[in-house]
Amino acid sequence: ATEHNHPEVIHLGKTEIFKPLEESLIGMCIGEKRQVTIPESHAFGEKGMEELGVPPYATLVYDVELQYVVKEKDLASHDEL
């Protein structure tokens, strides 16, 4: 979800989110919640990500919840995605 708690649809393997966050989602079960902490060395490092409001050397913390999974072959029948 975004910072406003709106669900976010993520297609794994499509580089829609950065790799360390995507890797933390692998193996999750539907309904599972995780707090993912990504140290600055695996996040945006000394440069930060100004356009996202991430300062240099920031450790990132995400609260994630897997709400549902749709297999790629079934995407055509899920127009809301």
Side-chain angles (χ1 to χ4, degrees):
T2 64
E3 65 183 81
H4 302 290
N5 275 343
H6 299 293
E8 178 112 7
V9 175
I10 298 169
H11 301 91
L12 293 179
K14 305 287 184 179
T15 61
E16 295 177 348
I17 58 176
F18 72 109
K19 191 172 182 172
L21 180 57
E22 182 172 321
E23 288 173 351
S24 72
L25 304 177
I26 296 170
M28 286 185 73
C29 298
I30 295 173
E32 183 179 349
K33 296 178 182 181
R34 287 185 183 173
Q35 185 173 73
V36 179
T37 302
I38 302 173
E40 54 94 4
S41 61
H42 289 92
F44 300 111
E46 66 184 37
K47 295 182 181 182
M49 184 64 73
E50 187 175 328
E51 59 268 23
L52 296 176
V54 179
Y57 303 106
T59 294
L60 306 178
V61 179
Y62 294 90
D63 291 311
V64 295
E65 177 182 359
L66 182 62
Q67 295 180 343
Y68 57 90
V69 174
V70 177
K71 294 181 181 179
E72 189 171 11
K73 66 182 178 121
D74 297 330
L75 280 176
S77 64
H78 288 82
D79 293 334
E80 70 276 8
L81 301 178

